[in-house]
Amino acid sequence: MSKKIAFPTDDGETISRHFGSAHYFRVIDLDNGQAEMREKEGHHSHDHDHEHHHHEPGHEHGHGGKFALLHDCATLIGAGMGQPAYNRVQQMGLEIILTGEKLITTALEKYVAGTLSSDMRRVHAHHHHDDDHGNGRQSIEFHE
């Protein structure tokens, strides 16, 4: 049985610093320890090969399409995300790992080796738009 891992990304190579601002997910299907790269569209893509899920009830802060893209994944490896998104992905049953690794390939190698750890400090409180003093983002440090 294969296991799919999703990485929020804008370029397919680096992990996006924030789940909510990523344009894509790079989905890697681990089958018998091998990685197969597969890109899934994010909310900014206008390809006609996917369904739109923009108006489903219960999706916090406009990320509903992103949650739908994770439906067949077992793990989300990201760099940072807000508490509401973290809660939603956790409720979907996904393992969540928030890391300082920049490159998807490096994070994947460490995940497969069992050495990738999660830093819960990368989950941040979501600011209401009225109190949004920096577009709701915080500075996130990356490991070299």
Side-chain angles (χ1 to χ4, degrees), residues 83-98:
Q83 188 70 54
Y86 181 90
N87 293 345
R88 178 66 184 269
V89 173
Q90 195 173 45
Q91 288 171 356
M92 292 172 64
L94 275 74
E95 172 188 29
I96 304 168
I97 299 175
L98 298 177

Side-chain angles (χ1 to χ4, degrees), residues 3-8 25-28 30 70 72-78 89 93-97 111 116:
K3 180 176 182 177
K4 294 178 183 171
I5 303 170
F7 294 87
F25 287 111
R26 189 75 171 185
V27 175
I28 299 172
L30 294 181
L70 299 173
D72 63 345
C73 296
T75 303
L76 172 72
I77 299 176
V89 173
L94 275 74
E95 172 188 29
I96 304 168
I97 299 175
Y111 178 81
L116 186 65

Side-chain angles (χ1 to χ4, degrees), residues 1 11 15 18 23 25 28 53 73 82 95 112-113 128 144:
M1 184 170 140
D11 61 9
I15 299 171
H18 190 273
H23 293 134
F25 287 111
I28 299 172
H53 298 279
C73 296
E95 172 188 29
V112 170
H128 293 286
E144 293 299 325

Side-chain angles (χ1 to χ4, degrees), residues 38-94:
R38 180 169 63 98
E39 189 173 55
K40 294 180 87 171
E41 296 82 15
H43 72 289
H44 290 285
S45 177
H46 296 296
D47 291 340
H48 297 288
D49 296 342
H50 67 282
E51 297 179 38
H52 293 275
H53 298 279
H54 298 293
H55 301 291
E56 293 182 14
H59 295 303
E60 299 90 7
H61 308 290
H63 297 316
K66 290 190 181 293
F67 294 121
L69 292 176
L70 299 173
H71 79 279
D72 63 345
C73 296
T75 303
L76 172 72
I77 299 176
M81 64 195 313
Q83 188 70 54
Y86 181 90
N87 293 345
R88 178 66 184 269
V89 173
Q90 195 173 45
Q91 288 171 356
M92 292 172 64
L94 275 74

Side-chain angles (χ1 to χ4, degrees), residues 16-21 61 63 78-87 96 98 119-128 132 134-141:
S16 176
R17 290 175 162 239
H18 190 273
F19 172 86
S21 63
H61 308 290
H63 297 316
M81 64 195 313
Q83 188 70 54
Y86 181 90
N87 293 345
I96 304 168
L98 298 177
D119 182 355
M120 290 301 294
R121 294 174 296 180
R122 294 177 172 277
V123 178
H124 57 269
H126 193 332
H127 299 286
H128 293 286
D132 200 4
N135 298 326
R137 292 182 175 79
Q138 69 182 27
S139 176
I140 298 174
E141 297 296 322

